[in-house]
Amino acid sequence: MKKIGLFGGTFNPIHLGHLRAAEEICDFFALDRMIFIPSSDPPHKEKEEILPAPLRAEMVRLAVSDNPRFALSGVELDRPGKSYSIETIEDFRRELGAGTHLYFIVGLDAFLEISGWKDYASLFGLCHFVVMTRPGFEKKFSREHLPVELADEFCYDTREGGYVHRSGFLVYPAEIIGLDISSTRIREFLRKGNSIRYLVPPAVEAFIQTNHLYRNKDSEATG
Ligand code: ATP
Ligand code: MG
């Protein structure tokens, strides 16, 4: 049985927090592969500071290229319209078949918004979930972080160290070392013209600088 992690995100841009988290989850769950899945372009105008998906995907490609366990998937980019995790998970289930265990990787900050995701109640019947601690956020995952309406569909399994859904799939809390890095902070640094060295892989930093990404438009015009 192969074990594959699916790691979705905006990756605007990808940073060492994402990469270190993925590396630790690979080790902890003995995953054969971690697939990074950048989201498609958001349909709303107010999300303007999100770079076009092909650029975000290219940075993910650069970031994962030297790690044999990591890979990039363009599945959400190829699908028109907004990205929905349920469609992504179903795509991978179809493609990889029943012989593969799928683990959907998500930070606790993102997991707490899961009741807003499309068909969220069905998600727990499709694959395992790994919910990572996020530094600067709340410390530990606990039962109260499961969606309230679904809480009685889960019971804790001490042997597995996770919450078993009635479907048999688990929600695993994962405590990672956690680097307190966010894409938001990186974009702020870039707007101010500050260095982002040691926050992203060198190839990603070079790509951002070469293509003048995330620059403050006003400062570009004057300087
Ligand atoms: P932004 O600040 O733009 O929201 P971000 O740093 O949160 O960016 P996302 O692309 O939104 O990055 O995150 C994708 C996934 O990675 C989410 O599940 C998020 O919780 C997780 N994640 C992001 N940064 C870290 C980190 N430093 N440590 C652990 N998990 C992280
Ligand atoms: Mg985020």
Side-chain angles (χ1 to χ4, degrees):
M1 273 281 202
K2 282 227 156 187
K3 292 166 133 196
I4 308 274
L6 304 177
F7 191 10
T10 320
F11 301 124
N12 184 39
I14 190 164
H15 53 67
L16 296 186
H18 297 126
L19 293 160
R20 178 66 210 170
E23 183 76 353
E24 286 187 38
I25 301 294
C26 275
D27 281 344
F28 196 80
F29 291 91
L31 303 185
D32 297 290
R33 196 158 265 259
M34 181 68 84
I35 302 179
F36 291 70
I37 311 166
S39 60
S40 62
D41 290 324
H44 303 300
K45 256 268 168 113
E46 72 265 19
K47 299 277 167 63
E48 245 166 0
E49 71 161 359
I50 302 188
L51 276 194
L55 289 173
R56 289 181 285 110
E58 176 58 13
M59 291 189 281
V60 172
R61 195 189 63 75
L62 290 167
V64 304
S65 64
D66 65 350
N67 188 325
R69 286 195 293 196
F70 289 180
L72 162 72
S73 165
V75 65
E76 295 197 354
L77 277 56
D78 300 338
R79 204 188 297 134
K82 196 175 171 340
S83 300
Y84 294 109
S85 299
I86 186 124
E87 292 173 5
T88 300
I89 296 168
E90 281 171 342
D91 274 2
F92 278 99
R93 274 171 55 102
R94 259 194 306 273
E95 192 188 321
L96 299 171
T100 305
H101 287 301
L102 291 179
Y103 294 72
F104 194 84
I105 317 300
V106 61
L108 183 53
D109 60 317
F111 187 78
L112 292 183
E113 293 174 1
I114 204 164
S115 55
W117 299 10
K118 184 182 173 194
D119 297 340
Y120 81 98
S122 329
L123 288 172
F124 300 104
L126 291 178
C127 67
H128 300 302
F129 273 74
V130 175
V131 185
M132 306 178 290
T133 46
R134 178 94 195 245
F137 204 64
E138 273 175 80
K139 276 265 167 284
K140 259 193 136 174
F141 184 87
S142 64
R143 173 169 269 286
E144 78 235 25
H145 295 133
L146 292 167
V148 186
E149 316 76 56
L150 307 180
D152 55 5
E153 296 183 7
F154 291 90
C155 61
Y156 191 72
D157 182 328
T158 37
R159 201 168 46 90
E160 286 282 351
Y163 297 86
V164 192
H165 184 248
R166 62 177 182 201
S167 64
F169 290 108
L170 278 107
V171 174
Y172 293 97
E175 273 198 68
I176 54 168
I177 273 202
L179 304 174
D180 194 359
I181 302 174
S182 70
S183 304
T184 303
R185 287 301 297 283
I186 291 171
R187 294 193 301 272
E188 275 166 21
F189 286 139
L190 288 163
R191 270 198 302 274
K192 290 185 195 149
N194 292 349
S195 162
I196 56 160
R197 197 173 181 186
Y198 311 125
L199 296 177
V200 300
V204 172
E205 187 194 358
F207 185 83
I208 289 174
Q209 305 300 6
T210 309
N211 295 287
H212 311 287
L213 305 180
Y214 305 108
R215 289 259 190 96
N216 187 337
K217 298 273 184 304
D218 299 338
S219 69
E220 239 171 78
T222 53

